[in-house]
Amino acid sequence: MNETVDCNYCPCLNITEFEQDRLKINGIRENHICLKYGKRVIHNINANIKNHSPRLYPCDECVADMDRKENTNE
């Protein structure tokens, strides 16, 4: 899991953590989805669900894409 990236700031994310929290207040549940890869984006899988970090980690496809870009820029 890439520890340096927070997908809350990615333009490909359907809904940020802040937006999700606002919807929950109104009883609406919406998952975080990477619109580029069509994958669900999650918080740290080891985190306590009630006390999770607001950070969202990239999907495996995005991490692989980032790794490819880093390796071609060396």
Side-chain angles (χ1 to χ4, degrees):
M1 200 174 288
N2 190 317
E3 300 289 329
T4 61
V5 176
D6 184 351
C7 291
N8 276 296
Y9 303 105
C10 179
C12 295
L13 186 66
N14 70 325
I15 187 169
T16 66
E17 184 66 8
F18 176 76
E19 292 165 332
Q20 185 186 57
D21 287 344
R22 281 191 2 218
L23 289 174
K24 280 182 189 175
I25 291 170
N26 296 314
I28 301 168
R29 290 195 145 316
E30 176 103 22
N31 290 327
H32 303 288
I33 304 293
C34 172
L35 299 174
K36 183 173 182 178
Y37 297 103
K39 299 286 185 169
R40 186 169 177 196
V41 179
I42 60 170
H43 302 275
N44 186 342
I45 199 154
N46 296 319
N48 178 324
I49 291 184
K50 292 187 187 239
N51 268 335
H52 66 267
S53 164
R55 172 177 271 175
L56 296 169
Y57 293 92
C59 60
D60 292 339
E61 290 80 359
C62 188
V63 171
D65 196 28
M66 285 186 277
D67 288 345
R68 277 192 297 277
K69 287 178 182 173
E70 280 181 17
N71 290 331
T72 58
N73 289 333
E74 292 179 350

